[in-house]
Amino acid sequence: MLRHLSLTSRLTVFFTIVAATVVLGLGFMLLYATDQHFKELDRTTLQDKQRLITEILANAPSPADARLRLNEALNHHHGLHVLVKAPGGEVIFQTQGFSADRSQEGHALPTRVHEGQDFHAIHAQSSPGYDQTQRFDITVGIETAHHQQFLAELQGSLAIYAGIATLISGALGWLAAHQGLTPLRDMKTRAAGVTGQQLERRMPVEAVPIEMADLARELNQMLDRLQEDFLRLSE
């Protein structure tokens, strides 16, 4: 298909493809970096809440006191989900009917679903102050809806920007190719003006780019040979 296009059109197509690839690549990197930043923020928040829960449990003299302190500290945080279970499955604290399977302990940050909302969660274990022999399961989750909404809006904005940037790049590519090939069109015009009565016309070697200088020299040498042959035939 490209064989039927002019050199200007070919250069424009290739320039547009390169520009679109660069813009899309930068957009993908920005989205990925933003998503990782949000995950790191969620991880930091969850780890802070996990340490708070661990501290509350360590200072609690009884299960009732632990429930009271956890309720006062955690029950009013929007988007935060907490589930604290005793080894036998007894729920020590639970926010808004939250339930979650045990996730990996440590730095893992899996995405789960609760009541139609995605959230990041971490898991840990801690012993209460009133019974150091027990290991409570602690699951802390935070909703990601606001992050996902921001990423969706950012993705839409980047898509619009990428489309506009690609169109502008294509137009600038066509202009650059058209202007860059002006010496070639001048050579074509000069070549078209060469006749038997005007064999003295030559291509402007000094006025063309380096890439076309060799072509201009070869054409001038060809015209020299034609002029010599034409003079011999005339004589």
Side-chain angles (χ1 to χ4, degrees):
M1 181 178 179
L2 290 177
R3 291 181 302 176
H4 304 291
L5 295 177
S6 64
L7 184 56
T8 301
S9 299
R10 294 184 186 185
L11 291 174
T12 302
V13 170
F14 288 133
F15 187 83
T16 302
I17 292 175
V18 171
T21 302
V22 172
V23 171
L24 291 176
L26 290 175
F28 175 79
M29 290 179 60
L30 178 60
L31 286 172
Y32 178 78
T34 304
D35 182 59
Q36 294 301 309
H37 175 68
F38 284 152
K39 286 183 178 180
E40 190 60 34
L41 288 178
D42 287 346
R43 179 181 287 108
T44 301
T45 301
L46 292 173
Q47 289 174 347
D48 288 341
K49 297 304 179 184
Q50 174 193 317
R51 285 191 289 268
L52 175 62
I53 295 170
T54 301
E55 182 178 353
I56 291 175
L57 290 176
N59 297 326
S62 66
D65 185 74
R67 290 189 180 93
L68 179 61
R69 294 187 183 187
L70 289 172
N71 184 68
E72 291 177 351
L74 302 171
N75 209 26
H76 304 290
H77 290 267
H78 178 71
L80 182 69
H81 302 286
V82 179
L83 177 62
V84 181
K85 282 186 177 182
E90 177 188 3
V91 176
I92 304 300
F93 179 78
Q94 187 176 24
T95 56
Q96 302 175 355
F98 176 65
S99 62
D101 297 331
R102 175 171 175 167
S103 57
Q104 296 179 356
E105 187 172 358
H107 297 288
L109 197 67
T111 300
R112 300 186 180 279
V113 179
H114 170 61
E115 296 182 353
Q117 296 285 343
D118 292 341
F119 66 95
H120 289 142
I122 61 174
H123 177 80
Q125 288 187 328
S126 179
S127 299
Y130 56 84
D131 188 353
Q132 293 293 325
T133 62
Q134 298 188 59
R135 298 288 291 175
F136 285 3
D137 288 330
I138 303 172
T139 302
V140 188
I142 187 171
E143 293 180 5
T144 63
H146 55 296
H147 291 168
Q148 297 302 324
Q149 181 180 0
F150 178 84
L151 287 173
E153 293 176 354
L154 179 61
Q155 184 176 3
S157 300
L158 288 175
I160 295 174
Y161 170 78
I164 296 175
T166 301
L167 291 176
I168 294 176
S169 299
L172 293 176
W174 178 88
L175 180 62
H178 183 76
Q179 293 297 324
L181 293 177
T182 298
L184 187 60
R185 290 192 296 272
D186 292 342
M187 292 174 62
K188 173 186 174 183
T189 302
R190 286 176 175 269
V194 175
T195 62
Q197 290 74 33
Q198 294 181 335
L199 284 175
E200 72 282 353
R201 302 188 65 177
R202 297 294 182 268
M203 302 299 163
V205 178
E206 295 78 9
V208 299
I210 298 176
E211 293 81 1
M212 298 181 185
D214 290 340
L215 175 61
R217 292 191 189 93
E218 292 296 330
L219 290 174
N220 288 338
Q221 292 175 7
M222 180 189 69
L223 290 174
D224 290 339
R225 292 192 296 272
L226 287 175
Q227 187 175 21
E228 292 175 1
D229 294 339
F230 185 78
L231 288 176
R232 279 197 293 271
L233 288 174
S234 300
E235 292 173 356

